[in-house]
């Protein structure tokens, strides 16, 4: 238990966070690349056709993991926003702001692939369906958090707190996205994977396996990209601290 508490405190300290997570970058990147290659190759070329949608369903190997990540990342942003707003922890600020562009990218991919999927399945690229509309609102929330921070960027601490407030308010949209297809009439199908094995779930392991692999791949990519951006954020906002000078010196000294 003491080790867990010690690790928590270390991860809350910018120099310790930078030092510890610096070693995670390459493993995360390699896992992300390897799993993405496996998931896409198996999903796009070797998974069996769907008995209703044929080969058109294969877009789910990108669409569904991207949709999961768009919500997962915003949940992390919201949690970090609460920590930032209440306790003003710099590492939480870094993780929050580093996550915003990544989450926005996954949300945009979700909307784009959903539109491409919608045309052959529903006969239209876009319908103001509850799921689609709430997902679009999620993209606007990501833009709103980034925009609020940019508006006060000359004062990073104030900018982070105001951005955190926007992020916290936006958390209400997550359950709306998740349950919109159950609460309102929707052309969007329900969950692709169900714990109860309902009729909308994926029953074939040959289809499910690449989908789960892609879900893992996107998480490893997120960790890699978020840590890279968080490191840059901390080096910038802590530029006057001695640990930054030491870190930059050590990094420069490693180069030939």
């Amino acid at each position: 238990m003491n080790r867990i508490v010690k690790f928590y405190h270390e991860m809350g300290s910018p120099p310790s966070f930078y030092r510890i997570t610096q070693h995670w970058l390459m493993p995360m990147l390699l896992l992300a690349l390897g799993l993405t290659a496996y998931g896409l190759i198996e999903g796009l070329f070797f998974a069996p056709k769907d008995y209703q949608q044929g080969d058109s369903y294969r877009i789910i190997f990108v669409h569904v993991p991207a949709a999961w990540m768009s919500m997962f990342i915003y949940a992390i942003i919201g949690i970090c926003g609460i920590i930032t707003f209440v306790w003003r922890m710099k590492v939480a600020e870094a993780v929050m702001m580093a996550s915003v562009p990544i989450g926005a990218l996954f949300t945009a991919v979700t909307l784009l692939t959903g539109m491409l999927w919608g045309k052959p399945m529903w006969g239209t690229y876009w319908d103001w369906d509850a799921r689609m509309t709430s997902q679009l609102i999620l993209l606007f929330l990501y833009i709103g958090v980034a925009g609020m921070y940019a508006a006060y960027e000359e004062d990073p601490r104030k900018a982070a707190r105001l951005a955190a407030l926007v992020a916290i308010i936006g958390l209400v949209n997550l359950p709306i996205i998740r349950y919109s297809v159950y609460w309102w009439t929707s052309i969007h199908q329900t969950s692709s994977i169900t714990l109860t094995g309902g009729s909308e779930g994926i029953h074939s392991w040959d289809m499910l396996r690449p989908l789960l692999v892609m879900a893992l791949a996107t998480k490893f990519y997120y960790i890699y990209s978020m840590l890279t951006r968080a490191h840059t954020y901390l080096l910038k906002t802590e530029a006057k601290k001695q640990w930054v000078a030491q870190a930059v010196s050590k990094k420069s000294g490693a180069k030939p």
Side-chain angles (χ1 to χ4, degrees):
M1 186 65 183
N2 290 334
R3 290 183 178 180
I4 296 175
V5 173
K6 181 181 178 182
F7 180 74
Y8 170 79
H9 285 293
E10 285 183 340
M11 293 298 283
S13 167
S16 296
F17 175 85
Y18 183 91
R19 174 178 51 82
I20 294 171
T21 57
Q22 190 75 18
H23 302 292
W24 299 0
L25 295 179
M26 189 54 66
M28 294 298 107
L29 178 60
L30 293 176
L31 284 169
L33 292 175
L35 290 173
T36 298
Y38 174 84
L40 287 179
I41 291 172
E42 184 172 15
L44 297 179
F45 299 105
F46 296 105
K49 290 184 179 181
D50 183 75
Y51 74 100
Q52 288 182 321
Q53 301 179 33
D55 285 323
S56 298
Y57 91 99
R58 295 184 191 279
I59 203 168
I60 72 167
F61 297 115
V62 176
H63 175 75
V64 173
W68 288 343
M69 288 304 296
S70 69
M71 298 176 63
F72 173 76
I73 294 174
Y74 196 89
I76 291 177
I77 290 173
I79 293 169
C80 288
I82 294 171
I83 296 172
T84 296
F85 195 78
V86 177
W87 292 287
R88 304 189 184 187
M89 186 181 293
K90 282 191 176 181
V91 171
E93 293 177 14
V95 172
M96 177 180 68
M97 297 314 303
S99 298
V100 170
I102 310 168
L105 174 62
F106 276 115
T107 306
V109 170
T110 301
L111 291 169
L112 178 61
T113 54
M115 291 168 65
L116 294 175
W117 191 4
K119 183 61 176 178
M121 292 299 103
W122 308 321
T124 181
Y125 287 111
W126 185 264
D127 184 272
W128 291 101
D129 169 270
R131 172 63 65 81
M132 298 179 192
T133 304
S134 55
Q135 191 73 31
L136 180 61
I137 291 172
L138 183 62
L139 179 60
F140 292 153
L141 285 168
Y142 277 115
I143 295 172
V145 174
M148 182 62 74
Y149 183 86
Y152 296 91
E153 195 170 7
E154 68 280 358
D155 184 355
R157 305 311 304 278
K158 180 180 180 181
R161 292 196 76 205
L162 291 174
L165 185 60
V166 176
I168 294 167
I169 294 171
L171 285 172
V172 71
N173 191 49
L174 295 186
I176 294 175
I177 296 174
R178 174 66 180 83
Y179 296 105
S180 57
V181 292
Y182 302 102
W183 291 346
W184 296 286
T185 301
S186 173
I187 65 172
H188 196 287
Q189 71 181 65
T190 53
S191 301
S192 298
I193 299 177
T194 59
L195 295 176
T196 58
S199 59
E200 296 296 331
I202 296 177
H203 303 287
S204 170
W205 176 243
D206 290 332
M207 293 180 180
L208 182 59
R209 183 174 56 252
L211 185 61
L212 295 178
V213 168
M214 286 298 296
L216 276 176
T218 52
K219 285 178 174 57
F220 285 125
Y221 167 76
Y222 163 68
I223 295 171
Y224 167 77
S225 185
M226 180 273 291
L227 289 177
T228 301
R229 292 172 182 274
H231 290 171
T232 302
Y233 180 96
L234 289 172
L235 291 175
K236 180 180 177 181
T237 56
E238 298 265 289
K240 297 181 180 180
K241 299 292 181 67
Q242 185 178 359
W243 76 265
V244 173
Q246 293 173 346
V248 172
S249 177
K250 184 179 179 181
K251 191 173 182 180
S252 300
K255 294 180 179 180

